[in-house]
Amino acid sequence: MKKIFSIFIFLLCAGTVFAANPPRVNKTLPFHKGINFTLWLDGNEPHRVANFGRQDFEDIRSLGVDCTRLYIRFEEYSSGEPDYIIPDWLWKNIDDAVAWCTELKMYMIIDFHNDCDGDSKTRPDVEKILTKIWPQIANRYKDSSEYIIYEIMNEPHFRSGNLEADISKWNKIQGKILKLIRTIDTKHTVIVGAESWNSVTALLKLPDYKDYNIIYNFHDYTPMLFSHQGASWTIFKYLTGVPFPYDKNKMPPFPKDPGAKDLRWDYDNYERDSSENVLCKPLDEAVKFANKRGVALMCNEWGVSMQYADNAERINWYRMKAKWMDDRNIVRMSHDYKDLFGIFNSPSHFETFPQDVNVELIEAMGYKMPQGVKPRSKNWMETSYKNGEYVIYKDGVSKNTLCNPWLKCVRKNEFTSFGNKPDDNGGLYISVPSAEKYNAFMFEFNKSYDFTPFVNKNLCLEFEVKTTQKNFRLDVYFMDNLEASMGKKGFEWRATKSFTSRDGLNDGKWHKVRILLKDMKDGGAWNDLEKKWYNGEGLFNWNRIHKLAFDFIDGLTEECCIRNIVVK
């Protein structure tokens, strides 16, 4: 009671008291609040999907989440022009998520995602891409359960210089794609959104699509000066330490950097823009507009980056926004799960459910932590040991391990991916379609581990590889964490084993490779701070291992496949 009273007094003093009797959306959906899986298949790193599994879906469901949204870069993962064919490995991952959500009775939004960085633009010819891809999606999932929802496209933003023309253009394109989907699938709900990054202002200019199985959607990160302070991909990167709500005594000085000039309006108007009246007015307008059209309303992205915002103020922002949307019957989907806007105490991607969840944040969002869930092990050696071997990658990345490729494919529309092939017996493998010189595929452990017992027991690193690359050179190396153990920054010393075409691994067949750990040689270190290579100095140490790399020294023009990576 004391805590609740203190919160009330704080809000009262800050001039932020929840409005009474706001307008409510008339149409109610069977789901109300959810969490986005932002890194699931977003960007040019589809390997990250291996870091998500059924357990993650079960975890958010246990909080009371009744809907999730999967960010999928269909365009980038497709075959490209002219047909934009979706590959089998992508369908496999979506199919799994569809099955899990159906079993868990949790709604799932299939989101056609796109590049939304601050300097990005939506392609002028996006209509032809959507026209090719959406029939593939609709045909595949038209007979799936009612738990599946389509979202035509995330945050369109043509940025032609004529906003009204851009809004009109997008509204017409969206209408055409909606009709196209309906020629295939009349069952599933479709989410429509507005131009200008799904802004609520542009939402009010959406046409009446005469389809009552749709949801109007907008995104809400207001005030951006608070939610995106310091965000490297925005103009707000120049300012940190912004309080919420506005507090004159806490406001940082205006930044001196010349690039910050575009922040002047946001900075000077922050007191007004962080007030309840200003923040709630667009919500009320959107509610009235949705009711006029007889459709449901949702905000499928809202959140605050944890990187620079004060934790207590960030939690307060979530509490206020959640209540405002709940009072108006607006469905809400927080952005995101395990990243800067996530529900954990840090965005390290190694945070573990349930012990690392930001409990106060979860409660502010209207969820509850499940009871009786035991803390999960964060020790890779404990969680990876199965059948006499320590798994790094086998039908997916092992727990407490992260896949980090430093790869740039040499051909258009190629990405490092996970998938199945008929001769794999259903097993997953890592596929590198092509790569530039010195590109590497890395596995990072959640902390440094002592491999000395492995070396002393004559254990081996074992993996399988397949390629037809004519001039094939592969360096396999463990990297130690000198910074963690000695405080010397910039050095990650390597123990290396090199393979070339002479080893006969490039005949297009799977080959099992076994490397005795103690036979791996001191391979030097690349100092990224100095951009300089250092030859081995005898400083590599097996007691502080934190990475394993597969480095394509001469690059690849032919596919290289790797699977079943273990220490045994």
Side-chain angles (χ1 to χ4, degrees):
M1 182 62 70
K2 182 178 180 181
K3 180 179 179 181
I4 295 174
F5 181 74
S6 298
I7 292 171
F8 175 77
I9 294 297
F10 169 75
L11 296 177
L12 185 65
C13 293
T16 310
V17 182
F18 300 132
N21 302 317
R24 287 178 57 82
V25 179
N26 294 330
K27 188 169 184 178
T28 297
L29 294 170
F31 56 93
H32 182 65
K33 52 184 181 290
I35 293 176
N36 286 284
F37 276 151
T38 52
L39 296 177
W40 195 72
L41 276 167
D42 183 20
N44 63 351
E45 298 178 344
H47 64 281
R48 289 187 183 276
V49 72
N51 297 314
F52 290 88
R54 182 190 171 100
Q55 187 64 58
D56 296 288
F57 288 78
E58 292 178 352
D59 288 344
I60 64 170
R61 190 72 176 103
S62 71
L63 296 172
V65 169
D66 52 23
C67 186
T68 189
R69 178 171 175 252
L70 306 186
Y71 293 30
I72 308 172
R73 297 282 189 98
F74 283 102
E75 174 197 345
E76 295 186 31
Y77 302 151
S78 74
S79 63
E81 296 181 304
D83 297 320
Y84 296 93
I85 303 299
I86 306 304
D88 289 342
W89 69 263
L90 181 56
W91 288 131
K92 170 63 168 58
N93 285 290
I94 301 173
D95 289 349
D96 286 345
V98 167
W100 297 334
C101 286
T102 300
E103 291 171 19
L104 293 168
K105 294 181 170 54
M106 180 169 64
Y107 288 82
M108 187 188 97
I109 299 168
I110 298 176
D111 164 33
F112 184 105
H113 214 70
N114 56 334
D115 185 0
C116 299
D117 281 354
D119 59 352
S120 65
K121 294 181 181 180
T122 297
R123 288 176 52 162
D125 61 346
V126 68
E127 182 179 348
K128 73 176 183 181
I129 301 168
L130 295 171
T131 300
K132 291 290 185 179
I133 290 177
W134 267 111
Q136 297 179 66
I137 302 171
N139 272 305
R140 191 170 188 92
Y141 298 111
K142 62 183 179 182
D143 297 322
S144 62
S145 75
E146 70 274 16
Y147 293 101
I148 305 309
I149 301 169
Y150 304 143
E151 182 174 354
I152 291 178
M153 184 175 170
N154 173 75
E155 296 192 353
H157 51 286
F158 290 116
R159 304 180 75 181
S160 69
N162 185 334
L163 181 57
E164 291 302 315
D166 290 346
I167 290 173
S168 177
K169 177 179 179 178
W170 171 248
N171 288 347
K172 292 176 182 177
I173 291 173
Q174 185 164 240
K176 291 178 182 178
I177 302 304
L178 178 59
K179 287 182 179 179
L180 179 61
I181 292 172
R182 290 302 184 219
T183 64
I184 303 167
D185 185 346
T186 59
K187 169 184 174 182
H188 289 99
T189 302
V190 178
I191 295 172
V192 297
E195 229 280 351
S196 193
W197 282 278
N198 286 151
S199 78
V200 68
T201 302
L203 174 77
L204 304 179
K205 298 181 180 181
L206 282 178
D208 188 347
Y209 291 121
K210 305 296 182 180
D211 187 322
Y212 300 102
N213 193 19
I214 62 175
I215 303 171
Y216 280 8
N217 165 61
F218 65 95
H219 293 175
D220 185 4
Y221 294 99
T222 56
M224 291 282 285
L225 197 70
F226 175 71
S227 69
H228 282 64
Q229 58 183 292
S232 61
W233 64 96
T234 71
I235 64 169
F236 304 99
K237 61 187 176 184
Y238 299 102
L239 189 65
T240 59
V242 179
F244 181 83
Y246 173 83
D247 185 332
K248 180 180 179 180
N249 297 322
K250 292 184 178 180
M251 281 296 291
F254 190 79
K256 297 180 180 179
D257 193 302
K261 63 182 186 300
D262 292 335
L263 284 179
R264 176 53 71 180
W265 191 93
D266 294 271
Y267 185 87
D268 291 345
N269 291 278
Y270 183 63
E271 180 177 8
R272 184 200 68 183
D273 291 346
S274 63
S275 67
E276 179 182 358
N277 288 339
V278 171
L279 293 174
C280 286
K281 183 179 178 182
L283 301 180
D284 293 341
E285 292 175 344
V287 169
K288 294 174 184 176
F289 186 69
N291 285 339
K292 184 178 179 181
R293 294 287 171 80
V295 298
L297 180 66
M298 78 183 305
C299 174
N300 68 15
E301 282 189 30
W302 64 294
V304 175
S305 171
M306 70 177 74
Q307 189 170 14
Y308 296 106
D310 176 81
N311 183 56
E313 293 176 350
R314 178 174 181 251
I315 290 170
N316 181 49
W317 183 95
Y318 276 93
R319 181 181 294 109
M320 293 166 64
K321 289 276 186 175
K323 188 176 192 314
W324 292 342
M325 285 189 270
D326 290 350
D327 286 347
R328 291 162 175 79
N329 196 28
I330 299 173
V331 175
R332 50 186 173 84
M333 301 283 300
S334 67
H335 173 92
D336 50 22
Y337 178 56
K338 274 193 175 183
D339 205 14
L340 288 171
F341 292 75
I343 66 171
F344 292 86
N345 288 313
S346 83
S348 72
H349 307 300
F350 286 122
E351 296 292 88
T352 301
F353 189 97
Q355 62 262 42
D356 296 327
V357 172
N358 186 331
V359 177
E360 286 188 277
L361 176 66
I362 284 295
E363 292 174 348
M365 294 164 66
Y367 300 119
K368 289 184 178 180
M369 290 298 297
Q371 300 298 312
V373 180
K374 295 181 180 179
R376 293 174 190 157
S377 173
K378 301 181 73 170
N379 187 303
W380 168 78
M381 289 187 177
E382 292 178 355
T383 58
S384 70
Y385 187 73
K386 298 175 183 178
N387 301 319
E389 59 189 22
Y390 297 86
V391 176
I392 296 173
Y393 178 93
K394 203 167 197 177
D395 289 335
V397 181
S398 67
K399 292 181 180 179
N400 300 312
T401 309
L402 189 66
C403 224
N404 278 321
W406 295 92
L407 294 163
K408 184 175 182 181
C409 293
V410 298
R411 291 187 292 268
K412 186 179 179 181
N413 297 114
E414 287 186 339
F415 300 91
T416 308
S417 61
F418 294 90
N420 296 317
K421 286 190 176 180
D423 60 353
D424 274 346
N425 298 317
L428 288 175
Y429 66 91
I430 300 162
S431 168
V432 183
S434 62
E436 294 186 347
K437 289 184 177 181
Y438 302 111
N439 281 193
F441 201 97
M442 296 187 182
F443 296 90
E444 181 179 353
F445 300 108
N446 65 328
K447 63 178 183 179
S448 296
Y449 286 93
D450 185 1
F451 273 43
T452 306
F454 294 168
V455 176
N456 293 338
K457 292 179 181 179
N458 291 322
L459 296 189
C460 296
L461 172 68
E462 183 179 288
F463 61 91
E464 294 177 58
V465 61
K466 179 177 71 171
T467 187
T468 57
Q469 179 69 31
K470 184 177 181 180
N471 298 313
F472 182 60
R473 182 181 170 188
L474 174 67
D475 275 13
V476 181
Y477 49 85
F478 284 98
M479 303 172 72
D480 71 9
N481 194 342
L482 190 61
E483 179 180 348
S485 60
M486 298 178 63
K488 187 176 181 181
K489 295 183 179 180
F491 288 89
E492 294 174 314
W493 297 102
R494 307 174 181 182
T496 305
K497 175 67 175 179
S498 297
F499 298 91
T500 68
S501 301
R502 293 190 297 272
D503 293 298
L505 302 177
N506 57 345
D507 59 1
K509 300 177 182 179
W510 283 108
H511 291 270
K512 182 177 288 188
V513 177
R514 287 176 59 84
I515 307 171
L516 197 62
L517 294 181
K518 67 180 181 182
D519 288 345
M520 300 181 80
K521 306 299 182 184
D522 190 344
W526 170 258
N527 188 309
D528 200 48
L529 297 176
E530 300 176 7
K531 304 299 180 185
K532 181 180 178 181
W533 176 260
Y534 285 81
N535 291 325
E537 300 177 12
L539 296 176
F540 174 83
N541 199 318
W542 283 109
N543 67 12
R544 51 181 185 242
I545 301 301
H546 78 131
K547 289 180 183 177
L548 169 65
F550 293 80
D551 197 330
F552 305 103
I553 302 299
D554 294 329
L556 292 173
T557 55
E558 301 296 330
E559 181 187 38
C560 182
C561 305
I562 300 172
R563 69 183 182 186
N564 297 339
I565 307 168
V566 300
V567 175
K568 61 184 296 185

